[in-house]
Amino acid sequence: MKIGVLALQGDFAEHARMLASIGVEPVEVRLPVDLDGISGLCLPGGESTTMRRLIDRWDLRQPLLDFAATGAPLFGTCAGMIVLSREITGGEDPILPLLDVTVQRNAFGRQLDSFEADLTVPVLGDQPMHAVFIRAPIIDRVGPGVDVLARLDDGRVVAVRERNVVATAFHPELAGEPRFHRLIATMAAEHDDPGEGAGRRPHPTRRAGLPR
Ligand code: GLN
């Protein structure tokens, strides 16, 4: 199976390495044509302002939205999460408004530019997850269709899933933490072959807007 990594800017090489380490073939996505034949997509950490510019320069916005509408999984880390969010605190326009959350960029301020924490992520098992935060955003608002996957000790939300879109404020790809990438690979396999595993279910896009 092939999973793409948006390779315009940021730590896409680390995502590609992580995918390869779990037996998935990574594909660098720079142009719309690169989306053909991939079963999921990672959006890396980096600088969301630069990613916004490059997404528009290479006419990727609509092709990325069309790819998401197929129900294939998307996974954004840090800047990648900002790219996927419906609202950005402070009034910046959203980029790919696929995830019904409001994010605040650089939410931890200058004092705490980067830090590490051990998180509990119940959907990924009992073992604590070591999380690396770098000039990280925080999730200020979570819409009704969004599942919270992890919080900091103070309750602030740092990992979410809405249907086929998963996002973390931190960087599993930098911490040698494969569980989120495995989740995406499992979602991608189910999307490719909905008869497998959990059985036939309505296509995720058809469930959009329904209460859960
Ligand atoms: N601060 C960056 C932004 O706002 C995100 C940082 C990161 O991806 N590590 O886009």
Side-chain angles (χ1 to χ4, degrees):
M1 182 173 48
K2 296 179 184 177
I3 292 188
V5 183
L6 188 64
L8 302 173
Q9 188 267 338
D11 73 341
F12 56 86
E14 284 75 11
H15 277 276
R17 259 198 291 280
M18 182 60 80
L19 290 169
S21 80
I22 60 164
V24 170
E25 184 181 335
V27 174
E28 292 190 354
V29 172
R30 294 194 175 82
L31 295 171
V33 68
D34 299 328
L35 294 165
D36 294 345
I38 59 172
S39 303
L41 181 69
C42 296
L43 294 91
E47 181 55 47
S48 54
T49 307
T50 308
M51 288 183 198
R52 172 198 300 277
R53 241 190 3 253
L54 295 173
I55 284 170
D56 286 335
R57 181 180 304 167
W58 301 111
D59 287 327
L60 274 161
R61 210 182 266 235
Q62 194 57 47
L64 288 168
L65 293 172
D66 293 344
F67 179 77
T70 68
L74 282 84
F75 176 38
T77 63
C78 204
M81 178 175 87
I82 297 166
V83 169
L84 294 170
S85 296
R86 192 188 282 184
E87 268 186 302
I88 303 171
T89 302
E92 271 181 68
D93 286 334
I95 306 170
L96 306 172
L98 292 165
L99 190 56
D100 186 14
V101 298
T102 304
V103 291
Q104 192 190 135
R105 295 178 61 192
N106 303 319
F108 297 92
R110 289 191 161 275
Q111 256 64 310
L112 213 56
D113 228 27
S114 72
F115 65 98
E116 303 187 10
D118 286 313
L119 305 176
T120 310
V121 189
V123 296
L124 297 178
D126 293 339
Q127 213 190 327
M129 181 174 292
H130 190 66
V132 176
F133 293 81
I134 303 170
R135 295 183 11 92
I138 197 79
I139 300 167
D140 276 339
R141 180 195 63 87
V142 173
V146 177
D147 293 326
V148 171
L149 305 184
R151 296 175 185 271
L152 293 172
D153 284 346
D154 64 10
R156 287 185 288 178
V157 177
V158 290
V160 286
R161 173 176 178 178
E162 184 177 19
R163 294 185 299 277
N164 58 322
V165 182
V166 177
T168 60
F170 51 94
H171 294 276
E173 74 282 8
L174 296 180
E177 167 53 66
R179 282 178 281 175
F180 272 101
H181 292 80
R182 281 202 199 112
L183 170 67
I184 297 303
T186 305
M187 290 164 67
E190 267 183 35
H191 172 255
D192 283 352
D193 186 358
E196 285 283 299
R200 295 201 173 270
R201 282 182 303 206
H203 191 281
T205 51
R206 264 185 247 137
R207 287 167 31 212
L210 295 177
R212 290 196 301 166

